[in-house]
Amino acid sequence: MSNKMKKENRYRYLLYIVPFMIIYLVFTIWPIMYGLFMSVYKWGITGPISYTGLNNYIYLWRDSQFWSSLWHSSFFVLLSTPLMILLALGTALMCNLNTPLKSFFRTVFFLPSVLSVTVISYLGIYIYNPSIGLMNTLLRFVHILPPDASISWLGQTGTAWFSILSVTLWWTVGTNMLLFLAALQDIPDSYYEAASLDGATAWQRFRFITVPQLLPITSTIVMLQIIASYKVFPQIYYMTKGGPNNTTKPIIQYIYEQGFTNDRIGYSVSMSIPMFLILFILALIQLRLRRKISEDVL
């Protein structure tokens, strides 16, 4: 290929990339840079805007509510990520079985994903209502709870986290299940046929064929789940308002309250910067792990 043709091809490739680069710069890079700019100002919806230097970050460092909210989000990530992986993989394996109920399983597991967070949250409030809720009624029916007793699921820290977690997993498992299911169907049948001829048991086929082949998509789902869990907010806001006593308040709710309830947008933006750094570092770790997994599998 002549130098002239190479140069023409380079320009042609550039033509395809430019629109996406413009969108990326406008909707990703520019908001990040503008957020950094806002974080060093006293910035509200009303009132004057004034430069404060690093005061927002100094205040942030001393703000115990910020650290406790960040811990609540991290705690939710630690709880939800491994449970989501196990649940999504289990349901995907069930949906991949060659049974007449295959379509039924896929519909049942994916259906909650199409509902809005408002609907899911109010269903959660109803299920965990201490007086007429489904959970207490069920426990009374099987005699785990006395007829006149009830559990305030959303009024105590431990049970409130359990309620939020169960509703979130039920709502979001369908999307991750589809990712696992697509990966399962990409595994060639010849791998399993060869293993069966060699006398491998079902567990050995799962352990030495299915699991290694699913590692790349598993690393992707882990990263997506971590990002989604750090952004958890609406279902907690609807179900507990961050209570009891702010013990379930996530960092996104605290950022929202500071920015739009207390009219401290500059300070709320400064709280977003540590969140961005955490997710950025996790994304870099995930990319390195994914590269290593791809090299090992291939």
Side-chain angles (χ1 to χ4, degrees), residues 10-244:
R10 196 175 301 131
Y11 287 132
R12 195 173 296 123
Y13 297 148
L14 193 61
L15 197 63
Y16 285 112
I17 294 173
V18 165
F20 298 101
M21 287 300 296
I22 292 172
I23 292 172
Y24 183 72
L25 286 171
V26 171
F27 292 103
T28 302
I29 301 299
W30 169 246
I32 292 172
M33 301 308 295
Y34 197 65
L36 284 170
F37 170 74
M38 291 174 69
S39 70
V40 293
Y41 278 82
K42 181 183 178 184
W43 195 306
I45 298 173
T46 59
I49 297 171
S50 58
Y51 178 73
T52 59
L54 295 178
N55 283 350
N56 282 335
Y57 291 98
I58 294 170
Y59 187 85
L60 172 72
W61 181 256
R62 298 169 179 168
D63 187 355
S64 60
Q65 186 65 51
F66 166 77
W67 293 108
S68 64
S69 300
L70 185 60
W71 161 244
H72 295 155
S73 295
S74 303
F75 178 66
F76 186 75
V77 170
L78 292 173
L79 280 179
S80 66
T81 304
L83 289 174
M84 175 56 76
I85 298 300
L86 292 174
L87 195 59
L89 178 59
T91 51
L93 289 170
M94 194 181 295
C95 292
N96 199 42
L97 293 174
N98 191 19
T99 68
L101 294 174
K102 185 167 58 178
S103 299
F104 172 76
F105 288 146
R106 293 179 183 181
T107 304
V108 167
F109 294 137
F110 185 73
L111 193 60
S113 304
V114 303
L115 300 176
S116 72
V117 66
T118 311
V119 173
I120 288 293
S121 302
Y122 279 100
L123 278 174
I125 291 171
Y126 168 72
I127 291 169
Y128 293 108
N129 185 290
S131 304
I132 59 169
L134 179 65
M135 185 59 77
N136 279 344
T137 304
L138 188 63
L139 291 178
R140 290 190 199 102
F141 179 74
V142 297
H143 302 292
I144 292 177
L145 271 182
D148 56 346
S150 64
I151 297 175
S152 177
W153 292 93
L154 302 178
Q156 305 171 64
T157 303
T159 51
W161 275 119
F162 170 80
S163 308
I164 293 164
L165 182 66
S166 60
V167 168
T168 305
L169 291 177
W170 175 57
W171 178 38
T172 56
V173 69
T175 306
N176 293 317
M177 180 205 71
L178 281 185
L179 295 173
F180 270 128
L181 185 60
L184 281 171
Q185 293 180 345
D186 277 346
I187 301 174
D189 292 336
S190 57
Y191 289 7
Y192 295 106
E193 292 167 0
S196 298
L197 289 175
D198 288 340
T201 62
W203 168 249
Q204 288 171 327
R205 291 196 296 273
F206 175 75
R207 168 70 180 81
F208 296 107
I209 298 175
T210 306
V211 171
Q213 293 296 316
L214 291 181
L215 282 178
I217 191 64
T218 303
S219 70
T220 302
I221 293 174
V222 167
M223 193 63 230
L224 292 175
Q225 183 62 31
I226 288 173
I227 293 172
S229 296
Y230 262 116
K231 293 191 300 182
V232 67
F233 167 44
Q235 61 267 47
I236 293 181
Y237 189 75
Y238 286 127
M239 290 177 69
T240 67
K241 305 288 183 190

